[in-house]
Amino acid sequence: MLKGSPLVMVPGPTPIARSIQDQMGRETISFNDPRFVAVFNSLIADMKSLWRCDGIVFIVAGSGTMAMEMGICNVAGTGENVLVCSNGHFGDRFIDICARKNFSLDTIKAQWGTSVTVDEIDKKLSEKKYSALVTTHIETSTGVELPLRQVAEMVRRKHPDVILVVDGVASAGASEFYMDWGIDVMLTCSQKGLGISPGLGIIWASQRAIDKRQSMPPISESYADFVKWIPVMKDTMQYWGTPSVNMIWALAEAIRIIKDEGLEERIKRHKLFSDAIRSSLSALGFRTGTEEALASPSVTVFFYPENPKIDDAAFRSAVYEEGAHIGGCLGVFAGKGFRIGHMGNITTGTLVTLIAAIERACIRCGYDVALGSGLAAMQKAIVSM
Ligand SMILES: Cc1ncc(COP(=O)(O)O)c(C=O)c1O
């Protein structure tokens, strides 16, 4: 019984507001049309000021993985010591990206569902002189949020020469971070907390990161080279690679929505919704795959109960047919549960539809929950906060 198009509750892409869709559907104009140039320039200024970036923000066509490559290849060169901390699948992807460069690479890996700690990072950074530390703010495969502020402040205080590179793919627009905490490179993409379709990579680079790039010899990457893009990001009349005109309009609209809601308010909303979804699913007998203190505001992993045995594929397709598309688990967690993305421009109405679909799917899969119990727990969490 499929009722229209299901809600997109995977950890990206996320539901897209009508006004953002309208920007993507506009008639495309030239990237040096003054009407576009003005929007792009003011978007760049907004992105810098909202996330307190003293350097340059790069907005380029590509996915999050492209932004990861672009983030690291500009701040560490051949033979330099790089430390990558992984909390799961996407941290491991960063290890893979770095292993393909000629860095001298070290890694720290957390057990799935937990995070690498500030002390572990501090200890490792004390062992030798590292050029860069690479981490993931919110690990989408486990729903774990790294204590980023503490990491950034520790690195600045105790290892001031280290360039801190952070994967913020599942955090920008959903969780708090500011470049002036001591972050040098933060990267994200369009289809998660910002609430746009996939297609844009965004990299905030501190002045320290730009200085580092400018002190390096030419790098082997071309499209991803900061040096090629700096003139464009300073004056969008300049050309390097054709900007993704409609996606940039869409991002400008997404930022207008964020400013309208208020970035801090938006982050509070994400935390509230995340808490409400966890209360709700816990009332239905699902436990999370994440330590409570590390639960992210943007994505949560839920494990199936032991009894009765629930078939993963059958359950997720039942939820889909009942009106919500949720994600499967990855890696170590695959088959044990599912992932819900709860980020971007979603409302309490979205949560009601999601939880109701999950309740009906439980019944269809022979898991006899009391209809309305998940909704009631969600409602209580929302009104009590
Ligand atoms: C934390 C994190 N990093 C990187 C990526 C890769 O982004 P993309 O799939 O857009 O290349 C993802 C995708 O889900 C992610 O969640």
Side-chain angles (χ1 to χ4, degrees):
M1 195 177 28
L2 182 61
K3 303 154 199 79
S5 192
L7 276 180
V8 188
M9 301 306 290
V10 295
T14 55
I16 299 175
R18 178 75 258 166
S19 64
I20 293 177
Q21 291 185 36
D22 287 346
Q23 293 301 317
M24 293 190 291
R26 280 175 67 180
E27 186 180 351
T28 304
I29 60 176
S30 165
F31 58 86
N32 56 22
D33 183 313
R35 292 170 297 168
F36 174 72
V37 170
V39 173
F40 199 1
N41 280 335
S42 97
L43 169 64
I44 288 173
D46 277 344
M47 301 290 289
K48 283 180 66 171
S49 73
L50 274 172
W51 283 279
R52 303 188 206 145
C53 176
D54 69 350
I56 291 188
V57 57
F58 299 90
I59 302 172
V60 298
S63 83
T65 308
M66 186 283 306
M68 293 163 84
E69 292 226 60
M70 187 160 169
I72 187 63
C73 73
N74 283 283
V75 293
T78 305
E80 292 187 37
N81 293 327
V82 173
L83 174 62
V84 185
C85 297
S86 169
N87 286 343
H89 179 86
F90 290 100
D92 290 352
R93 178 174 296 194
F94 232 146
I95 293 176
D96 176 66
I97 288 172
C98 291
R100 288 155 190 265
K101 318 249 172 239
N102 292 319
F103 304 146
S104 167
L105 187 64
D106 288 315
T107 60
I108 313 178
K109 285 188 177 211
Q111 196 187 335
W112 276 53
T114 68
S115 175
V116 171
T117 66
V118 179
D119 288 346
E120 284 171 316
I121 299 173
D122 181 20
K123 189 163 168 275
K124 192 81 188 163
L125 289 179
S126 307
E127 286 173 9
K128 60 178 153 182
K129 197 173 156 25
Y130 283 96
S131 294
L133 165 67
V134 179
T135 64
T136 313
H137 185 187
I138 294 177
E139 172 51 67
T140 322
S141 60
T142 64
V144 163
E145 178 161 21
L146 177 89
L148 178 58
R149 185 171 196 162
Q150 288 98 303
V151 170
E153 289 175 353
M154 178 279 291
V155 172
R156 262 307 149 84
R157 200 175 63 252
K158 300 181 79 175
H159 312 278
D161 295 335
V162 173
I163 294 279
L164 175 58
V165 178
V166 185
D167 173 347
V169 162
S171 74
S175 185
E176 188 180 41
F177 69 82
Y178 294 105
M179 294 296 289
D180 66 4
W181 286 354
I183 303 168
D184 293 296
V185 175
M186 188 74 178
L187 60 99
T188 195
C189 52
S190 42
Q191 76 272 20
K192 304 218 180 220
L194 300 171
I196 317 165
S197 291
L200 282 184
I202 299 156
I203 299 108
W204 291 264
S206 68
Q207 191 53 50
R208 271 164 45 106
I210 299 295
D211 292 345
K212 172 71 200 265
R213 171 64 195 95
Q214 280 168 335
S215 73
M216 287 163 62
I219 59 173
S220 57
E221 292 79 3
S222 168
Y223 182 74
D225 189 350
F226 283 179
V227 168
K228 304 279 193 193
W229 286 107
I230 288 171
V232 182
M233 298 303 151
K234 285 187 166 167
D235 168 11
T236 62
M237 274 300 274
Q238 304 299 315
Y239 167 76
W240 166 232
T242 305
S244 189
V245 172
N246 290 61
M247 290 300 291
I248 287 167
W249 273 331
L251 179 59
E253 174 58 11
I255 296 302
R256 187 200 61 74
I257 292 173
I258 291 177
K259 284 167 67 180
D260 200 37
E261 181 175 14
L263 183 56
E264 283 175 17
E265 281 307 306
R266 185 180 179 92
I267 287 161
K268 273 193 218 143
R269 169 172 62 79
H270 277 81
K271 163 104 182 66
L272 173 65
F273 283 10
S274 170
D275 291 348
I277 291 176
R278 287 203 313 286
S279 299
S280 171
L281 275 274
S282 151
L284 292 172
F286 296 94
R287 83 193 155 77
T288 67
T290 311
E291 271 178 54
E292 187 62 24
L294 301 173
S296 86
S298 57
V299 55
T300 307
V301 168
F302 292 100
F303 289 143
Y304 296 114
E306 299 286 312
N307 229 332
K309 273 265 165 288
I310 296 179
D311 179 79
D312 175 38
F315 180 77
R316 286 188 289 113
S317 58
V319 177
Y320 183 88
E321 284 166 18
E322 292 299 333
H325 196 171
I326 57 175
C329 283
L330 301 168
V332 175
F333 289 171
K336 294 185 180 159
F338 52 90
R339 295 179 304 148
I340 297 179
H342 33 83
M343 54 188 143
N345 297 313
I346 58 172
T347 65
T348 46
T350 319
L351 302 197
V352 170
T353 308
L354 166 74
I355 303 300
I358 290 175
E359 288 187 354
R360 291 193 298 273
C362 287
I363 302 288
R364 279 182 53 178
C365 292
Y367 179 40
D368 194 18
V369 297
L371 285 175
S373 55
L375 282 168
M378 187 211 87
Q379 297 278 61
K380 275 193 208 125
I382 299 264
V383 294
S384 66
M385 285 179 206

